[in-house]
Amino acid sequence: MANSILETISSEFSSAAEKVGGSVVAVHARRWLPTSGIEWKKGVVVTVHHGVQRDEDIKVLLDGGQAISAKLVGRDPRTDIAVMRIEKRSSSAPQLGDSTSLRLGHLVLALGRTRRGDLVASSGIIGGISGEWRNRRGGQLDQHIRLDLALYPGFSGGPLLNARGEVVGINTRGLAHGRAVTVPVATVNRVVEELLEKGHVARPYLGIAMQPVEVPDNMRSKLPGQTRVGLLVVQVENDGPAEKAGMLLGDVLFEVGGETVEHVDAIQDSLATAKVGDVLQIRVIRAGEIKPVSIKLGERAR
């Protein structure tokens, strides 16, 4: 019985690798080792940002060994995703799965393609999984998917397959100090669509610099809960969203969207899920009084 189960799993993984492998490519966009990539949909290749070190003269090695030119559409360093266009091919796009169905310990398969065009694979399990994750580059991923498998050099940019042979994300070592993680399908889709539409990912910003400061004793009774720390505005960008909304140097921000904030990270978390043009409702302490401020988020210059 045990041998039968292992044979079934082996056969299923082998079939999945063969089926999806036709969409896996090698991307030659840096001096030394190429990275892997995948034709996410017809004529659109997705790979990792950290593996694309030049904007021109990019070659993609297809299944079967054919090398063709690729044009860089855009990149998003915060999610480590880069998108390129190639001539449309007859091969069908891979079947995308739902990464939210992954569970700790699930068997998974990582695919890549070598410099010579050979399809390679690495198997393992989901070593850690949780909800939304803001990585060290400030990018917001829909899930934090940590892999317990060998992600060999050149594997970054290749797909992760679940036990059903569906692509559930793009693998990378560029977001977690060398650890192997997967950018989930939902995040990849969102970034790909925006890069195809705009050539960049629009991210909102406030246009202020802040630092934590203790709230004066005479103000604490006026604030919600046990608020003891606020964020002192130490810089306001000229003609930025905050200045347009009336924010002043010396304001102490203590609430965003009805939630108290004591750390700058909390502001970054709020911005990570917001869009350019959204209105952020905040409250500040100004000259001993509590003032509401509505800031329409602008787009940070690239």
Side-chain angles (χ1 to χ4, degrees):
M1 177 65 73
N3 287 340
S4 176
I5 293 174
L6 289 176
E7 288 174 359
T8 299
I9 293 174
S10 295
S11 178
E12 291 293 331
F13 266 7
S14 179
S15 296
E18 183 178 357
K19 183 178 180 180
V20 178
S23 299
V24 179
V25 302
V27 178
H28 293 259
R30 59 183 178 182
R31 185 175 180 183
W32 303 113
L33 185 70
T35 55
S36 298
I38 183 168
E39 191 173 4
W40 198 253
K41 55 184 181 180
K42 206 162 191 179
V44 175
V45 168
V46 176
T47 187
V48 285
H49 153 76
H50 78 264
V52 181
Q53 296 180 355
R54 58 177 180 263
D55 293 347
E56 305 290 341
D57 191 29
I58 298 174
K59 298 293 183 183
V60 168
L61 191 62
L62 307 176
D63 179 39
Q66 181 185 8
I68 62 174
S69 296
K71 181 179 180 181
L72 182 66
V73 173
R75 58 172 85 220
D76 180 34
R78 295 190 178 188
T79 56
D80 202 26
I81 293 294
V83 173
M84 297 167 290
R85 285 195 182 276
I86 59 174
E87 291 183 6
K88 292 185 178 180
R89 298 171 57 205
S90 58
S91 64
S92 59
Q95 183 175 353
L96 303 182
D98 181 7
S99 64
T100 61
S101 65
L102 294 173
R103 297 293 180 267
L104 187 71
H106 270 183
L107 289 169
V108 287
L109 187 69
L111 297 181
R113 195 166 289 280
T114 68
R115 178 193 298 272
R116 295 182 299 178
D118 298 323
L119 185 67
V120 286
S122 179
S123 65
I125 63 171
I126 298 296
I129 191 163
S130 58
E132 291 185 349
W133 175 51
R134 185 160 62 86
N135 62 60
R136 64 189 178 91
R137 293 184 176 181
Q140 190 81 6
L141 274 61
D142 290 68
Q143 287 174 283
H144 183 195
I145 305 172
R146 183 171 62 81
L147 303 178
D148 189 2
L149 55 73
L151 202 62
Y152 299 106
F155 265 67
S156 284
L160 184 74
L161 278 58
N162 62 17
R164 292 186 294 275
E166 300 166 331
V167 174
V168 290
I170 298 296
N171 303 319
T172 179
R173 284 191 174 275
L175 292 177
H177 296 290
R179 278 196 295 109
V181 299
T182 298
V183 183
V185 162
T187 304
V188 178
N189 278 335
R190 185 175 66 250
V191 173
V192 167
E193 291 307 313
E194 193 158 1
L195 289 178
L196 289 175
E197 180 184 351
K198 303 177 181 177
H200 69 281
V201 175
R203 286 199 164 82
Y205 84 117
L206 292 171
I208 52 177
M210 298 166 286
Q211 66 182 40
V213 63
E214 286 195 14
V215 175
D217 291 339
N218 64 339
M219 288 298 303
R220 289 177 185 170
S221 61
K222 301 180 182 180
L223 304 184
Q226 302 295 318
T227 304
R228 300 179 60 86
V229 176
L231 298 174
L232 176 66
V233 177
V234 296
Q235 182 181 354
V236 180
E237 179 183 302
N238 289 334
D239 204 34
E243 185 186 63
K244 292 177 180 178
M247 286 283 286
L248 300 176
L249 200 67
D251 283 348
V252 177
L253 190 157
F254 68 89
E255 186 178 276
V256 175
E259 299 290 333
T260 57
V261 293
E262 296 185 348
H263 304 284
V264 175
D265 283 350
I267 303 295
Q268 296 300 328
D269 289 340
S270 296
L271 294 178
T273 56
K275 299 177 181 178
V276 174
D278 286 353
V279 177
L280 206 61
Q281 303 293 342
I282 69 174
R283 291 206 294 167
V284 303
I285 301 171
R286 178 183 298 165
E289 299 292 335
I290 296 176
K291 301 286 185 181
V293 181
S294 299
I295 303 178
K296 183 177 182 180
L297 300 176
E299 180 177 347
R300 185 178 295 280
R302 289 176 287 155

